[in-house]
Amino acid sequence: NNSRITFLRLQQHIKFVEETIIKPVLGATIYDEIKEGMIDVPVPTKVVNVLPFIRTPIAFFSAARLMEETAAELTERGLYFTATIPLGVDSRKNAPATAERIALLVARARNDGNAYLEMLKTYMTDNLSDWTDYTTVQGSVLNRDNTDKKTFWV
């Protein structure tokens, strides 16, 4: 019933999610600006405003990874390898968490993370005046003017 140890287990997953999911969405320049802004005193307003949109997907994706790794349920009180099953109004039973239940919890956490990630993208797009380096273009995009040209793709 103590989540400090759980948080220590989550740290590696938080770092992974920041670097592989959040940083590619924001771009390296904005990601670095936010990380540096968090150290500044006072923290710039635009950084304070974007942090809630970053924290939530990190939490859901990290939790999904930890539950997947440990095959345990993650709650506000810690990591549990058993599930509480309600039997009636005042009666509950502890039973081992099933693989199906863990898979459902992981899928739900990932879906929630993706929903909040979309909210981050929308926030960034809506606040381009603060984040002028933000672009919705991800990866390489083929952009070519084919006017009066023949193209052969292999």
Side-chain angles (χ1 to χ4, degrees):
N1 291 332
N2 200 333
S3 63
R4 285 190 309 266
I5 295 171
T6 302
F7 178 74
L8 293 175
R9 293 283 308 270
L10 270 171
Q11 283 182 325
Q12 65 182 338
H13 299 296
I14 291 169
K15 183 178 180 350
F16 180 83
V17 170
E18 281 184 10
E19 293 174 354
T20 63
I21 296 174
I22 302 299
K23 188 174 183 177
V25 166
L26 296 175
T29 305
I30 293 174
Y31 178 81
D32 292 340
E33 183 179 348
I34 291 170
K35 293 290 265 187
E36 290 168 11
M38 290 169 53
I39 298 169
D40 292 345
V41 177
V43 177
T45 304
K46 71 179 189 176
V47 172
V48 170
N49 292 341
V50 76
L51 287 177
F53 292 95
I54 295 172
R55 287 182 186 130
T56 310
I58 289 174
F60 278 105
F61 286 125
S62 300
R65 289 179 55 81
L66 182 62
M67 286 188 292
E68 211 168 34
E69 176 183 274
T70 60
E73 288 188 42
L74 183 62
T75 71
E76 70 279 355
R77 299 187 75 190
L79 198 59
Y80 289 96
F81 293 91
T82 61
T84 302
I85 303 167
L87 296 175
V89 176
D90 293 326
S91 180
R92 297 181 186 277
K93 173 185 171 187
N94 284 341
T98 64
E100 294 81 19
R101 177 166 171 77
I102 299 300
L104 283 171
L105 292 172
V106 168
R108 184 177 72 189
R110 283 222 163 93
N111 288 337
D112 292 348
N114 283 321
Y116 281 109
L117 193 62
E118 289 303 315
M119 288 176 66
L120 170 61
K121 292 175 185 179
T122 301
Y123 175 84
M124 295 301 290
T125 302
D126 292 347
N127 292 280
L128 287 175
S129 59
D130 288 340
W131 305 102
T132 55
D133 291 338
Y134 182 72
T135 178
T136 57
V137 176
Q138 304 295 326
S140 63
V141 176
L142 183 61
N143 186 8
R144 179 177 168 180
D145 180 12
N146 288 330
T147 308
D148 299 325
K149 296 179 184 172
K150 291 183 180 181
T151 303
F152 177 73
W153 298 95
V154 179

